[in-house]
């Protein structure tokens, strides 16, 4: 059985920017929801993700009710518990391919619990995600040296990642970490988010970059899940509940953020750049 496969650039309205994600639609005969006894073979999904060689490949399976889908995410090397850009890409595919009703919200059953997506009136897709605020910690030995940015202003640890605040936007943009060393310091799928307040230009409030070499992602182009940590952090710093972050990778992308208690709304756009069939 072939499976529809899409390549979608997320957190951008232009092709070849933002963060590319592969989205595989598992047809009804391809297994159950994540965690179910008849779920799709994780080893097969991992092989597909390795073949795609993108920061994330998403697998969607229709759920027991209309508008509900099982959703799992894989990097080239591991399955992860939360991914923003591949969820945004998945919602975009479901609406643009007519798999979900136009204008109707979509619910996802995931390893991080129920997630939701809804379309905005201006083409923005809004995701309802769990907040993952960071608490201050002492950096693990070698982390600061591996980043190579000098003394950080603040270091914390969220559910999935370390969060490191640097002195200014230029320090984030110019960062050239030792990725091999960083990977040894952050086992599993733990990543490192570096961030700073924006320099007062281009309409965004803070900048960030994200590194997860231990999970097979040297630098993630635009990381939705990181903004579940960045949103609460900068809302507290700046005293605002609506923010825009720019992820300053080579591709770059904007993420709108609305922290609200233990949840965070993430907003962004997406564009399909490839449609095909997975035959293996």
């Amino acid at each position: 059985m072939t499976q529809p496969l899409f390549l979608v650039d997320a957190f951008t309205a232009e092709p070849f920017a933002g963060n590319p994600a592969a989205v595989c639609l598992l047809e009804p005969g391809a297994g159950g929801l994540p965690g179910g006894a008849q779920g799709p073979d994780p080893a097969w999904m991992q092989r597909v993700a390795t073949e795609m060689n993108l920061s994330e490949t998403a697998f969607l399976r229709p759920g027991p009710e209309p508008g509900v889908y099982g959703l799992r995410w894989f990097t080239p090397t591991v399955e992860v518990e939360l991914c923003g850009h591949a969820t945004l890409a998945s919602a975009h595919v479901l609406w643009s391919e007519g798999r979900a009703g136009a204008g109707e919200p979509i619910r996802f059953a995931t390893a991080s619990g129920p997630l939701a997506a809804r379309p905005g009136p201006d083409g923005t897709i809004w995701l309802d995600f769990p907040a993952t605020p960071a608490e201050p910690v002492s950096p693990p030995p070698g982390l600061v040296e591996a980043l190579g940015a000098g003394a950080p202003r603040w270091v914390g640890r969220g559910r999935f990642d370390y969060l490191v605040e640097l002195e200014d936007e230029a320090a984030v943009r110019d960062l050239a970490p030792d990725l091999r060393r960083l990977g040894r310091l952050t086992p599993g799928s733990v990543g490192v988010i570096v961030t700073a307040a924006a320099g007062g230009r281009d309409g965004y409030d803070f900048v960030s970059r994200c590194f997860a070499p231990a999970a097979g992602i040297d630098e993630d182009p635009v990381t939705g899940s990181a903004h579940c940590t960045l949103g609460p952090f900068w809302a507290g710093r700046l005293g605002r509940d609506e923010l825009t972050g720019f992820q300053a990778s080579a591709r770059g992308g904007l993420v709108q953020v609305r922290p609200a208690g233990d949840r965070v709304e993430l907003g962004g756009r997406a564009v399909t750049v490839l449609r095909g069939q997975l035959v293996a």
Side-chain angles (χ1 to χ4, degrees), residues 1-8 21-27 44-45 47-54 56-60 89-90 93 97 99 272-280:
M1 179 183 293
T2 64
Q3 309 295 333
L5 185 68
F6 303 84
L7 180 61
V8 177
V23 178
C24 182
L25 295 181
L26 298 173
E27 301 294 4
W44 174 81
M45 289 188 282
R47 288 194 295 271
V48 173
T50 302
E51 184 79 3
M52 295 299 100
N53 199 32
L54 299 169
E56 307 286 347
T57 297
F59 295 86
L60 281 167
S90 297
V93 166
E97 299 299 317
R99 301 296 185 107
T272 301
V273 296
L274 183 147
R275 294 178 176 87
Q277 292 288 326
L278 181 65
V279 299

Side-chain angles (χ1 to χ4, degrees), residues 75-261:
T75 80
T77 60
V78 296
E79 183 174 8
V80 297
E81 292 184 43
L82 188 66
C83 177
H85 86 280
T87 305
L88 187 78
S90 297
H92 167 79
V93 166
L94 291 172
W95 283 314
S96 64
E97 299 299 317
R99 301 296 185 107
E104 295 182 1
I106 300 169
R107 292 177 291 159
F108 299 105
T110 79
S112 286
L115 306 178
R118 60 177 175 82
D122 61 351
T124 299
I125 296 172
W126 287 96
L127 306 177
D128 178 7
F129 267 41
T132 56
E135 297 295 332
V137 297
S138 297
L143 177 63
V144 172
E145 292 78 8
L147 287 174
R153 296 187 65 178
W154 189 89
V155 178
R157 174 69 192 267
R159 178 179 170 188
F160 301 113
D161 305 296
Y162 287 100
L163 177 64
V164 180
E165 182 188 7
L166 301 183
E167 187 65 28
D168 54 29
E169 181 174 343
V172 173
R173 289 180 176 272
D174 295 342
L175 197 66
D178 182 335
L179 294 169
R180 182 173 297 181
R181 187 176 183 186
L182 203 62
R184 292 196 300 265
L185 295 169
T186 54
S189 58
V190 175
V192 178
I193 308 164
V194 295
T195 189
R201 64 182 185 181
D202 296 329
Y204 50 83
D205 302 293
F206 61 88
V207 297
S208 67
R209 291 172 67 188
C210 296
F211 306 94
I217 308 167
D218 285 349
E219 179 171 3
D220 199 27
V222 192
T223 315
S225 61
H227 287 75
C228 296
T229 302
L230 289 160
F233 178 80
W234 286 111
R237 281 284 199 275
L238 302 177
R240 293 170 47 200
D241 56 9
E242 291 196 20
L243 304 154
T244 299
F246 177 71
Q247 194 151 330
S249 66
R251 292 174 65 102
L254 291 169
V255 183
Q256 298 178 62
V257 189
R258 296 174 179 170

